[in-house]
Amino acid sequence: MADFNEQHVFITGGASGIGFAMGQAFGRRGAFVTIADINVDRLDEAVGKLSGEGIACGAKVLDVTKAGDWAAAVSAVESESRPIDILCNNAGISQGSRKDGNAIMLADMSEDLFRLVLDINVVGLFLGIRAVVPGMIERGRGHVVNTASLAGLIAPRGFSAYSASKFAAVGLSESLRAELSEKGIGVSVLCPGGVQSSLVNSSSERREDTIGQGSDQAAGFLSERPANPDTMLAISVGERVVEAVAANDFYILTHPEYAPLIEERFAAIHKAIGTSAQPGYRDPQRLLDASRNLAYLD
Ligand SMILES: NC(=O)c1ccc[n+]([C@@H]2O[C@H](COP(=O)([O-])OP(=O)(O)OC[C@H]3O[C@@H](n4cnc5c(N)ncnc54)[C@H](O)[C@@H]3O)[C@@H](O)[C@H]2O)c1
């Protein structure tokens, strides 16, 4: 079993669901865990639970979309305990659905909601990386885990904004892995399927606190739903993340039953690779060389 003694793990969205489970899994292996979240009540409760298990931990209130929150939180936790060794950029929201269970289609979605999903799920990752990774580069070690989703590898109907944000999380992570590997820093991207969590409730809270119902009023959002017992336990995902960081795995896939759906997407892309739009033309080799991501060949 991997040992994370003397390691400081900083987890956003750490007060609930997958983030909290990562905290438990790293903490049970000796790490000092900082959970950061925008919801103060959930954060207090979560720290209580971790401490109750004997896990050394702290908490920070943080909105991942605010650069100032990141700067304050990172400087405070790094002086209170030790530099961050592992950053889990996990906070995120769903795009929501209607009370009747129907999806919110892109053509019906408000600009506010689209921007909110992208702000938390993508800009939040960027700000976390900018706040924490320069220190890792200076120290020549560290690991970043970005939580995407299977919706970052396939884009089902009714997931347009969410998939746009999670594809961005995957793309950002793929490029970042290539940028940081030469600096001794690992990057993993987590792409789970269904997991028991409070995502419906917490996404609804974020919507209410920021944009309200706005022009999405007519959508009649589903705002509360208990964790779906038919989906995977969050702790199973947390445990897998810990193993993946220990092994410096690139993609963290927890639900192999989706493999055929991912293959269908690859096959559709492959089928579209035909002849050059300009017969006889091909990009110069230097462009191809610059486009190659060696992280795919790890
Ligand atoms: N649950 C699933 O089925 C599933 C599947 C794939 C991916 N994911 C992803 O997993 C991540 C964690 O979600 P979860 O399912 O554990 O949900 P969750 O609601 O249990 O936890 C998400 C936490 O993120 C926090 N958060 C939201 N916006 C924030 C912000 N701006 N700043 C700081 N904290 C914020 C919430 O307060 C909440 O505590 C998300 O990125 C989600 O998209 C979830």
Side-chain angles (χ1 to χ4, degrees):
M1 196 203 283
D3 179 355
F4 287 88
N5 272 322
E6 305 290 312
Q7 301 271 297
H8 182 181
V9 185
F10 187 99
I11 307 167
T12 67
S16 176
I18 297 172
F20 177 75
M22 287 183 200
Q24 284 181 306
F26 278 112
R28 287 170 186 171
R29 284 164 183 77
F32 179 86
V33 176
T34 299
I35 51 173
D37 205 287
I38 200 164
N39 186 307
V40 184
D41 294 340
R42 257 201 308 274
L43 205 47
D44 286 345
E45 202 182 315
V47 166
K49 280 194 207 154
L50 291 177
S51 306
E53 267 200 51
I55 291 171
C57 61
K60 278 283 165 272
V61 181
L62 162 82
D63 179 347
V64 293
T65 68
K66 303 275 186 289
D69 282 14
W70 272 107
V74 172
S75 128
V77 295
E78 293 202 332
S79 59
E80 286 158 14
S81 51
R82 48 165 288 139
I84 295 168
D85 300 289
I86 299 167
L87 167 65
C88 299
N89 260 327
N90 166 78
I93 61 165
S94 70
Q95 68 180 59
S97 59
R98 294 177 199 275
K99 277 200 185 97
D100 61 11
N102 283 324
I104 312 279
M105 297 300 161
L106 193 60
D108 298 331
M109 188 179 290
S110 72
E111 179 182 338
D112 284 350
L113 179 58
F114 188 83
R115 286 187 187 277
L116 181 67
V117 172
L118 273 285
D119 203 20
I120 296 176
N121 294 3
V122 186
V123 179
L125 303 189
F126 161 66
L127 292 177
I129 287 156
R130 216 187 49 177
V132 177
V133 169
M136 290 180 173
I137 293 174
E138 255 175 47
R139 296 185 290 276
R141 63 188 160 73
H143 200 103
V144 179
V145 179
N146 293 322
T147 300
S149 166
L150 263 165
L153 300 174
I154 48 174
R157 174 185 181 280
F159 276 67
S160 44
Y162 188 68
S163 270
S165 73
K166 296 301 187 179
F167 269 64
V170 171
L172 175 153
S173 305
E174 291 181 350
S175 187
L176 188 70
R177 181 154 170 122
E179 291 175 13
L180 296 184
S181 65
E182 65 211 34
K183 310 211 180 281
I185 296 159
V187 176
S188 306
V189 59
L190 171 64
C191 299
V195 181
Q196 296 185 29
S197 79
S198 306
L199 194 59
V200 171
N201 307 24
S202 66
S203 303
S204 165
E205 267 167 35
R206 297 287 9 96
R207 211 171 46 234
E208 286 301 331
D209 289 354
T210 50
I211 57 174
Q213 294 288 329
S215 49
D216 283 314
Q217 183 76 44
F221 281 107
L222 177 71
S223 56
E224 237 175 278
R225 194 173 62 194
N228 181 351
D230 293 338
T231 55
M232 188 176 280
L233 294 172
I235 191 62
S236 306
V237 178
E239 295 285 350
R240 176 60 68 82
V241 168
V242 167
E243 283 168 27
V245 171
N248 190 21
D249 290 341
F250 186 1
Y251 302 99
I252 311 176
L253 298 189
T254 49
H255 292 61
E257 59 275 27
Y258 285 88
L261 282 67
I262 299 170
E263 294 293 345
E264 282 169 13
R265 176 165 179 269
F266 291 159
I269 294 170
H270 198 256
K271 207 167 104 190
I273 301 174
T275 53
S276 173
Q278 184 179 313
Y281 174 84
R282 56 175 274 136
D283 268 352
Q285 190 58 38
R286 69 183 158 72
L287 287 188
L288 271 80
D289 291 344
S291 303
R292 169 157 284 131
N293 185 338
L294 295 176
Y296 297 138
L297 310 177
D298 276 357

